[in-house]
Amino acid sequence: MTKMPLLLLAALALVVSGCSLPWTPRTAMVWKRVVPAGDCHCADGSQFAFWERRADPAKVVLFLNGGGVCWDAETCAFTSTEIPGESDFYDWNLEGTNPENRSGMFDTTRGDNPFAEYSYLYVSSCTGDAHLGNASQKYSPTLTVEHHGYVNGTAALDYLAEHYPDAEEVVVVGKTAGSVAAPLYGALVADRLPDAQVTVLGGQSGAWPDHPEFNTKILDETWGAYDAAPEWAVDGLAAQDWGVPRFWTQAGLRDPDLVMARFDFAYDPHAAVEVTQWMDGDPPDLLAEIDRNETAIEAAGVALHSYTAPGDDHGIFDFENAFYDTEVEGVRLVDWIEELIDDDDPPDDVRCDRCDP
């Protein structure tokens, strides 16, 4: 029988005993499950939790995972496909969630990982509302869904502020639907930790539209996001005018020191499949939507740094090959991110010259 390496045996012994591993640079992740107090739960009423990797207490990644969205009896049904707790539309509990199976930016043993030394808080969405909601919706006599994503997410923010009070750098990374709320959470982090440099990196929601019907019927009436948001996030905006691109605008106006950036594949059909009905064209031009949103955000006086890769791929942050191999116009994504979080002057925008799949 092959002998288990001594380091792994020591790690297992520490985990079993309830102790945490001493952190050194380039060590593999060890996760701790955290169950917050308060009215936190998933869509089906089950327990909500998030995960922590304790490393450098001065540098923290707040990772807002995707998990899909829903807003009616069909899309919000508690049905599972291959993974328990996950339907074709969204994750309705955490039964199938496991941050240990992630790679990409979660491979902290790699020398070219810009986040290798960071502590992590991994927050998954299990409420179908992109970390934004605070409402209980009865979609049928047998289906009541707890859209409590904002309640869950802000509980993780409170934990961040309490356990990392001296953080100097916080990077809010949002994946797909998790990136929809990333700028709002970035400003909320800055409110709680005013001495920290806060960077927001949203991935793959650049095409989500600012459409009055979506803003009113889904964000406001279904998820309760408009009423749940802090005052500055909705300041001067009616519910119909408070859309996803405005999240970036409101956050940037709230804290001009926020460094805000996005990543998108130009024609990723999965990144915005839920909201294409509120876009122009059939099918819509996703790159045109991305460009239109960025133009509107920057016209409001907010700097949005961007990296747009060609094609219709999906998945970047937790995919080993995509995260480390993506290169556009001679600039590697990981190098661009490192410059984004480490340099006083954020990097130039990177955009594919030929963006078609």
Side-chain angles (χ1 to χ4, degrees), residues 220-235:
D220 180 26
E221 297 174 5
T222 303
W223 294 348
Y226 182 83
D227 289 334
E231 278 188 30
W232 57 260
V234 297
D235 184 32

Side-chain angles (χ1 to χ4, degrees), residues 30-49:
V30 176
W31 292 101
K32 169 189 172 184
R33 192 172 189 267
V34 180
V35 179
D39 190 24
C40 297
H41 41 256
C42 294
D44 63 344
S46 61
Q47 186 182 75
F48 168 75

Side-chain angles (χ1 to χ4, degrees), residues 200-261:
V200 177
L201 176 57
Q204 299 159 269
S205 65
W208 279 50
D210 185 359
H211 192 285
E213 184 180 61
F214 176 78
N215 300 345
T216 302
K217 290 187 176 180
I218 307 304
L219 292 177
D220 180 26
E221 297 174 5
T222 303
W223 294 348
Y226 182 83
D227 289 334
E231 278 188 30
W232 57 260
V234 297
D235 184 32
L237 298 172
Q240 66 181 14
D241 301 317
W242 189 65
V244 174
R246 301 290 183 109
F247 298 169
W248 295 91
T249 301
Q250 296 298 92
L253 295 177
R254 170 67 172 178
D255 188 343
D257 291 330
L258 279 177
V259 177
M260 298 200 291

Side-chain angles (χ1 to χ4, degrees), residues 6-315:
L6 291 178
L7 180 59
L8 181 55
L9 283 171
L12 288 172
L14 283 167
V15 171
V16 170
S17 69
C19 300
S20 59
L21 277 171
W23 170 80
T24 56
R26 310 300 176 195
T27 56
M29 286 195 166
V30 176
W31 292 101
K32 169 189 172 184
R33 192 172 189 267
V34 180
V35 179
D39 190 24
C40 297
H41 41 256
C42 294
D44 63 344
S46 61
Q47 186 182 75
F48 168 75
F50 57 90
W51 286 260
E52 176 185 24
R53 182 247 186 166
R54 184 84 182 187
D56 187 343
K59 299 180 177 181
V60 187
V61 168
L62 175 66
F63 185 81
L64 301 175
N65 196 25
V69 293
C70 74
W71 46 68
D72 57 30
E74 178 186 3
T75 58
C76 290
F78 300 146
T79 57
S80 293
T81 51
E82 297 180 1
I83 302 175
E86 298 183 12
S87 74
D88 288 333
F89 299 100
Y90 80 123
D91 300 348
W92 44 272
N93 67 31
L94 293 174
E95 190 174 349
T97 302
N98 179 14
E100 294 180 358
N101 63 11
R102 308 302 187 202
S103 57
M105 65 175 287
F106 297 94
D107 183 356
T108 51
T109 65
R110 288 189 60 135
D112 54 349
N113 183 348
F115 302 111
E117 301 176 4
Y118 281 65
S119 297
Y120 279 65
L121 294 182
Y122 182 103
V123 184
S124 259
S125 173
C126 60
T127 53
D129 56 27
H131 302 279
L132 290 167
N134 185 19
S136 178
Q137 291 292 350
K138 187 173 183 178
Y139 291 108
S140 77
T142 59
L143 179 65
T144 298
V145 173
E146 305 298 337
H147 293 298
H148 274 219
Y150 185 78
V151 180
N152 297 345
T154 50
L157 285 181
D158 292 340
Y159 183 93
L160 168 63
E162 179 182 354
H163 290 81
Y164 298 88
D166 300 318
E168 298 171 2
E169 298 177 30
V170 179
V171 184
V172 179
V173 179
K175 171 189 171 184
T176 55
S179 67
V180 169
L184 296 182
Y185 278 77
L188 289 169
V189 171
D191 285 348
R192 287 164 168 79
L193 298 172
D195 294 329
Q197 174 58 59
V198 182
T199 302
V200 177
L201 176 57
Q204 299 159 269
S205 65
W208 279 50
D210 185 359
H211 192 285
E213 184 180 61
F214 176 78
N215 300 345
T216 302
K217 290 187 176 180
I218 307 304
L219 292 177
D220 180 26
E221 297 174 5
T222 303
W223 294 348
Y226 182 83
D227 289 334
E231 278 188 30
W232 57 260
V234 297
D235 184 32
L237 298 172
Q240 66 181 14
D241 301 317
W242 189 65
V244 174
R246 301 290 183 109
F247 298 169
W248 295 91
T249 301
Q250 296 298 92
L253 295 177
R254 170 67 172 178
D255 188 343
D257 291 330
L258 279 177
V259 177
M260 298 200 291
R262 66 155 183 85
F263 168 87
D264 284 282
F265 288 109
Y267 292 102
D268 176 2
H270 303 289
V273 65
E274 304 96 335
V275 291
T276 53
Q277 61 185 296
W278 289 287
M279 297 181 190
D280 295 332
D282 186 19
D285 185 333
L286 296 179
L287 182 57
E289 294 283 347
I290 292 169
D291 290 341
R292 186 179 300 114
N293 288 339
E294 182 162 343
T295 297
I297 293 164
E298 296 195 324
V302 174
L304 180 59
H305 310 287
S306 59
Y307 190 114
T308 307
D312 56 1
D313 288 342
H314 183 68

